[in-house]
Amino acid sequence: MMNNTQFQNQWMMNPNMMGGNMMGGNMMGYGMMGTPITKQSDVITTINKIESILDQVSTSYHKGDKYTAFSQATSSYLENYEYIESAVSAKDPKQMEKIELLLRVDLRNLIQTNQSVENVDAKIDSIKAELEKVKSLF
C-alpha cells in the first residue's frame, strides 16, 4: 500500500491528519492546529522556517533519502505555509496560489517521480525566490 502513489497522495494530503499532527511538526507554538498566522513578524518567521525546511529537503534528496525529502516537503506546506496563506492572500492572492502550487504539487511531484537533484534544487530555488517576494509585502 505504501508503494501506491495514489494512496500516498491521499494520505499525505488528508486534511483530517492535521488534527492529529501526524506530520510531526510543531506549529511554532501557535495555539490550536488550524489557527492562521496573521501577525506580520510571525509570517516572516514562518517563511524563514519554510526556507530552512527547503534546505533540509535538498540535503535529504542529495543523500538519496527521498522518503524524508518528501516528508519534509509536505511539512513545509502543511505545517507551515498553510498557516500563513490567508495573510499572504490578503496582500497578493495570485502569489499565495503560486507558492501553494510550487510547494504542495510541483516540489512533491519532482521528489515522487525521482527527478534529478538539479531539478529538485532548481524548484527549491524558485520557491525561495517567490517566498522572498512575499517577505517584501510584509
Side-chain angles (χ1 to χ4, degrees):
M1 193 158 36
M2 289 307 289
N3 290 328
N4 180 322
T5 303
Q6 183 179 5
F7 171 78
Q8 287 176 353
N9 287 339
Q10 290 172 346
W11 182 77
M12 294 303 282
M13 292 309 295
N14 183 346
N16 296 324
M17 300 289 281
M18 290 301 296
N21 198 14
M22 294 295 292
M23 294 308 297
N26 71 18
M27 268 285 296
M28 298 174 28
Y30 292 101
M32 295 173 45
M33 294 298 289
T35 304
I37 297 170
T38 56
K39 187 175 169 189
Q40 182 172 331
S41 62
D42 294 339
V43 170
I44 299 297
T45 299
T46 302
I47 290 171
N48 290 336
K49 184 174 181 185
I50 293 167
E51 291 172 332
S52 176
I53 293 169
L54 291 172
D55 290 339
Q56 294 171 21
V57 169
S58 177
T59 299
S60 296
Y61 202 75
H62 276 260
K63 291 179 180 177
D65 189 351
K66 291 172 176 59
Y67 178 80
T68 298
F70 184 82
S71 178
Q72 291 164 330
T74 300
S75 173
S76 72
Y77 174 72
L78 283 180
E79 295 183 22
N80 294 279
Y81 189 70
E82 199 166 69
Y83 293 97
I84 63 170
E85 282 183 327
S86 63
V88 174
S89 183
K91 302 277 187 178
D92 188 340
K94 288 184 180 181
Q95 186 67 5
M96 183 280 295
E97 289 178 13
K98 182 176 187 177
I99 294 171
E100 176 184 13
L101 290 174
L102 287 168
L103 283 171
R104 184 176 54 85
V105 178
D106 295 351
L107 178 60
R108 290 168 21 108
N109 185 52
L110 288 175
I111 294 168
Q112 279 187 315
T113 58
N114 297 312
Q115 297 298 308
S116 71
V117 169
E118 293 79 17
N119 285 348
V120 171
D121 282 347
K123 186 61 65 180
I124 287 171
D125 289 344
S126 69
I127 294 168
K128 285 182 172 183
E130 297 303 324
L131 290 169
E132 286 301 317
K133 292 176 187 177
V134 170
K135 283 183 189 179
S136 71
L137 300 173
F138 288 90

